[in-house]
């Protein structure tokens, strides 16, 4: 499909996003559906429209990056994080750096902040929260959620960490202060270093195997010795030892 190939190289030049590194069939289907919905018969006319109409470009970016998320997504995994992984990481260390990579609208880094405050109050914890998509980061920084988004949170936690305003729930500053939100492309930008825990969930599924291998390699490097990478529930790493990682619990890998 040469027209599509031309389209993605023009997108790379314009936006710096390399769609070659995302699974092709899935990505092409998503973009084609959107293009057809907006009435463009081919990729060339769609690209021209994207370069002239800001709202169209915004919609395109939103569609590329599926932003679905929730507080404590897959709660059983978070239970393991709290009961097994964090005690391990905080045993000798009184300071922690956590990286929530591809954090979407912020539910994941805020869940981490709540977990640390509630269970490890003596640990000085800073959380770096990054995503490719500026729009979701804006929402994350704002930290205002609908009641529905908080349905899994116990009432005591809601009361303690959120201020209710006209049916919306706003995260309190004590949590916000722990988090630094930043735009970051996992496929192109420099990674942080000496990270104790990387939480990177439900984004790697969109990438090709080659792109995944590069990301795992770089995450392995970003972790400090014995640091842990927490991945999503469909994202087991094939041959983790290739990246100096060791499986210690399902979906948790420790740097060796
Ligand atoms: C499904 S959400 C995952 C949110 C959260 N980690 C979770 O598990 O609930 C996927 C996120 O990955 C982000 N994303 C997609 N491509 C990315 C890239 N190349 N670099 C960084 N983030 C990316 C999207 O913007 C989106 O917010």
């Amino acid at each position: 499909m040469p027209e599509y190939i031309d389209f993605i190289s023009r997108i790379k030049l314009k936006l710096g996003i390399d769609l070659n590194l995302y699974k092709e069939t899935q990505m092409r289907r998503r973009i084609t559906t959107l293009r057809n919905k907006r009435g463009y018969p081919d990729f060339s006319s769609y690209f021209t429209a994207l370069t002239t109409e800001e709202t169209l470009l915004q919609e395109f970016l939103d569609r590329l990056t599926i932003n679905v998320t929730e507080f404590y997504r897959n709660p059983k995994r978070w239970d393991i994080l709290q009961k097994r992984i964090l005690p391990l990481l905080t045993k000798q260390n009184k300071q922690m750096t956590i990286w929530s990579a591809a954090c979407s609208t912020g539910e994941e880094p805020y869940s981490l902040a709540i977990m640390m405050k509630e269970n490890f109050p003596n640990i000085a914890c800073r959380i770096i929260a990054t995503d490719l998509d500026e729009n979701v980061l804006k929402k994350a920084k704002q930290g205002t959620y609908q009641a529905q988004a908080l349905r899994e949170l116990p009432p005591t936690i809601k009361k303690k960490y959120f201020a209710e305003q006209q049916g919306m729930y706003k995260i309190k500053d004590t949590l916000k202060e722990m988090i630094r939100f930043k735009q970051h492309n996992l496929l192109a930008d420099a990674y942080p270093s000496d990270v104790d825990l990387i939480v990177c969930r439900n984004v790697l599924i969109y990438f090709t195997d080659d792109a995944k291998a590069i990301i795992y390699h770089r995450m392995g490097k970003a972790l400090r010795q014995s640091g842990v990478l927490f991945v999503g529930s469909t994202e087991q790493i094939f041959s983790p030892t290739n990246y100096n990682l060791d499986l210690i619990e399902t979906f948790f890998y420790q740097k060796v």
Side-chain angles (χ1 to χ4, degrees), residues 103-165:
C103 67
S104 190
T105 38
E107 287 87 332
E108 183 178 277
Y110 288 127
S111 300
L112 288 162
I114 294 172
M115 186 170 276
M116 291 306 293
K117 278 250 185 246
E118 285 293 297
N119 302 284
F120 304 90
N122 298 324
I123 304 291
C125 172
R126 70 178 188 122
I127 299 171
I128 308 165
T130 63
D131 200 282
L132 175 69
D133 184 344
E134 304 259 18
N135 284 329
V136 292
L137 284 173
K138 251 187 239 157
K139 288 191 193 152
K141 278 184 208 161
Q142 225 173 10
T144 305
Y145 300 96
Q146 297 191 340
Q148 170 78 357
L150 276 63
R151 65 189 184 282
E152 297 294 342
L153 298 181
T156 46
I157 295 289
K158 271 192 225 173
K159 219 170 148 133
K160 197 162 163 187
Y161 296 107
F162 294 82
E164 195 189 341
Q165 286 169 355

Side-chain angles (χ1 to χ4, degrees), residues 76-131:
K76 284 196 185 116
R77 297 289 112 209
W78 283 82
D79 212 41
I80 305 271
L81 176 68
Q82 184 190 317
K83 300 205 173 110
R84 306 245 180 94
I85 308 295
L86 286 172
L88 202 75
L89 290 173
T90 53
K91 207 159 56 187
Q92 279 152 359
N93 233 346
K94 294 299 158 221
Q95 290 189 344
M96 261 194 92
T97 301
I98 302 179
W99 178 21
S100 168
C103 67
S104 190
T105 38
E107 287 87 332
E108 183 178 277
Y110 288 127
S111 300
L112 288 162
I114 294 172
M115 186 170 276
M116 291 306 293
K117 278 250 185 246
E118 285 293 297
N119 302 284
F120 304 90
N122 298 324
I123 304 291
C125 172
R126 70 178 188 122
I127 299 171
I128 308 165
T130 63
D131 200 282

Side-chain angles (χ1 to χ4, degrees), residues 200-214:
C200 183
R201 312 186 67 221
N202 307 301
V203 61
L204 294 164
I205 30 163
Y206 302 122
F207 298 140
T208 63
D209 287 343
D210 285 351
K212 271 189 239 180
I214 294 169

